[in-house]
Amino acid sequence: MNSKASPLLSFAFVIIFFSSASAFNITRLLGQFPEFSTFNNYLTQTQLFQPINSRNSITVLAVNNKAIAGLSGKPLDVIKKILSVHVVLDYYDVEKLTMLPKKTTVLTTLFQSSGLAVGQQGFLDVSLVNEGEVAFGSAEKGSGLNIKLVKPVVARPYNISVLEVTSPIVPPGIDQAAASPKSPPTKPVSPTASPKKSPMTAPTHAPAKEPVAKAPAPTDEVTGDSPIESPSSAPEADAPNADAPSSDDAAPVSSPVPSAADDASTPAPAESGSSRTNVASGFLSVGVVMGLVALSVSF
């Protein structure tokens, strides 16, 4: 008996495992209700049925065809985000909602688990209002509890609960976050900077050239501001007398060093008169000595 019972038990465990792994199919469940056909088609187009079916405990806030018609003009990625807010990551039926301990709570949605939510967009506020009426709203700042519970649609404790609500829950700013990516920002150009031109394109107008002052033509007239004449035209110095001391005797012990301004303004003569006088005196002395030698030899 035991040998025959063990295969049956194993088969029963396999059946239980697969049934629990695929406890429900959201599109098949909603397919039984034509009033939710648009909502069900959006779950298929956005592929949201896959993460919904992979959960063990889930609550779907469905919207009928008339109420969801306002989403028809939005991009598909925006619709996916909005419908993700309608999927609560826990099991809530009507009885559980009416028995809230503090008459209000915060619910975590599938949009929060996607990592795309900004601020509190991925959470829902739910509260009991008006003597037991259940109201939903986005937890994002600026939202209100203006979405009401209509009726239960499907309840399979504690796997899936489908509840009908009056209209879609659209958190503020959720459609802006799905805008198409912008082009990378360009570097701001300074207002004073001139626009860059392509090297292959010549400028339309050549920039006007500033008038260049012409240098005055040289004249023969000498004005009071004209520079000192060049050394070639400077007058030669007068030759010293024969009785004047030689250059070696006349040289002072220390002569003043001329300043840079004097060197720049007064050019040096090409050849001084004292040097020529010394050479002439040397030749004269040699001639006198040779004459005296010749006279002494002759005598």
Side-chain angles (χ1 to χ4, degrees):
M1 292 294 294
N2 294 334
S3 60
K4 293 181 179 179
S6 58
L8 294 176
L9 290 175
S10 300
F11 181 75
F13 282 125
V14 171
I15 295 297
I16 294 173
F17 173 77
F18 280 105
S19 61
S20 61
S22 57
F24 53 85
N25 187 314
I26 184 61
T27 55
R28 186 178 301 172
L29 290 176
L30 290 177
Q32 303 174 15
F33 305 94
E35 63 270 26
F36 301 112
S37 60
T38 303
F39 185 90
N40 197 18
N41 289 335
Y42 281 148
L43 294 181
T44 302
Q45 295 175 19
T46 59
Q47 303 294 312
L48 281 177
F49 69 92
Q50 295 179 351
I52 292 175
N53 292 341
S54 64
R55 296 279 178 170
N56 291 328
S57 296
I58 206 82
T59 300
V60 178
L61 305 178
V63 185
N64 62 36
N65 297 337
K66 183 179 180 180
I68 205 173
L71 301 181
S72 59
K74 296 183 179 296
L76 191 61
D77 56 345
V78 176
I79 295 176
K80 181 177 181 179
K81 292 182 177 183
I82 294 174
L83 294 190
S84 298
V85 180
H86 291 70
V87 181
V88 180
L89 302 182
D90 199 356
Y91 178 86
Y92 284 93
D93 53 15
V94 176
E95 182 181 1
K96 186 176 180 179
L97 289 174
T98 55
M99 299 296 293
L100 293 176
K102 296 182 180 180
K103 295 186 178 182
T104 183
T105 190
V106 178
L107 309 178
T108 304
T109 69
L110 187 62
F111 185 47
Q112 179 65 26
S113 66
S114 67
L116 301 176
V118 179
Q120 300 295 313
Q121 292 177 346
F123 298 96
L124 291 179
D125 285 336
V126 56
S127 297
L128 295 177
V129 295
N130 300 329
E131 299 180 358
E133 188 178 13
V134 180
F136 297 91
S138 173
E140 183 69 4
K141 185 178 180 180
S143 304
L145 297 173
N146 49 7
I147 311 299
K148 303 298 178 59
L149 174 65
V150 178
K151 64 182 180 182
V153 179
V154 176
R156 291 184 180 179
Y158 289 93
N159 296 127
I160 184 170
S161 173
V162 180
L163 304 174
E164 182 182 358
V165 293
T166 55
S167 59
I169 305 172
V170 182
I174 195 172
D175 51 348
Q176 298 177 1
S180 58
K182 299 180 180 179
S183 58
T186 57
K187 186 178 180 181
V189 180
S190 174
T192 57
S194 58
K196 295 183 179 180
K197 296 182 180 181
S198 173
M200 300 299 295
T201 305
T204 306
H205 298 287
K209 297 183 178 179
E210 296 182 358
V212 179
K214 297 183 179 180
T219 61
D220 297 335
E221 298 179 1
V222 179
T223 61
D225 297 333
S226 62
I228 302 174
E229 295 181 355
S230 61
S232 60
S233 61
E236 296 183 358
D238 296 336
N241 297 328
D243 297 334
S246 63
S247 60
D248 296 334
D249 297 335
V253 177
S254 61
S255 60
V257 179
S259 62
D262 294 337
D263 294 341
S265 61
T266 306
E271 185 178 0
S272 65
S274 61
S275 61
R276 290 197 296 269
T277 304
N278 292 337
V279 174
S281 299
F283 281 114
L284 181 60
S285 300
V286 172
V288 171
V289 172
M290 291 179 65
L292 293 175
V293 172
L295 289 176
S296 63
V297 172
S298 63
F299 289 109

